[in-house]
Amino acid sequence: LIVGNWKMYKTIDQAVAFVDQIAPLAEQASCKVMLAVPFTAIKTLADKVKGTNIVIGAQNMNDASEGAFTGEVAAVMLKDAGAEFVLIGHSERRQLYHEDNEFINRKVKRALACELAPMLCV
């Protein structure tokens, strides 16, 4: 696997331009090229890369299935937008947002329940 985590970079237009540039190169790769993109670009890019060697995923998700969690996103929402995987337990989430192993475990279980592949960072 080759996975690129875009963090908090690229507008939708910038994301599309980048994918347009790398798509020919990704098709020559002998592995899947996976991009963990900002939430705002998931739907656009997931639609754009259908039928290619590029897989779109999310950078984070909440452990709840739904609810009053302002600014959060549920696994089912990511799946609905076209994400195929989600990063869980990234060092920045652990350090900056104090996500512990118990919380991360709940996220992994929620992702699996929603058929969203968790990419557990350790």
Side-chain angles (χ1 to χ4, degrees):
L1 299 175
I2 296 173
V3 183
N5 177 12
W6 290 6
K7 305 197 180 231
M8 199 169 70
Y9 296 101
K10 299 196 186 309
T11 64
I12 294 171
D13 287 343
Q14 291 169 332
V16 168
F18 182 82
V19 167
D20 284 342
Q21 288 180 334
I22 68 161
L25 300 171
E27 286 307 309
Q28 298 171 21
S30 60
C31 61
K32 292 286 185 185
V33 175
M34 304 173 82
L35 302 175
V37 304
F39 296 136
T40 55
I42 291 172
K43 175 70 173 147
T44 300
L45 294 181
D47 289 346
K48 183 165 190 57
V49 303
K50 281 186 181 158
T52 73
N53 202 31
I54 300 172
V55 180
I56 301 300
Q59 299 173 12
N60 188 39
M61 57 169 263
N62 193 275
D63 67 322
S65 60
E66 63 183 4
F69 302 103
T70 302
E72 291 293 313
V73 65
V76 68
M77 294 172 169
L78 297 174
K79 186 78 172 170
D80 185 55
E84 295 185 37
F85 71 93
V86 60
L87 300 180
I88 297 175
H90 192 283
S91 61
E92 292 165 358
R93 300 295 308 180
R94 292 173 189 263
Q95 181 181 16
L96 299 174
Y97 300 98
H98 310 289
E99 294 185 2
D100 61 19
N101 288 339
E102 184 178 312
F103 182 61
I104 291 164
N105 184 38
R106 290 194 309 267
K107 286 184 176 190
V108 168
K109 289 177 180 177
R110 178 69 62 198
L112 290 170
C114 293
E115 298 180 355
L116 186 62
M119 186 169 293
L120 179 60
C121 303
V122 294

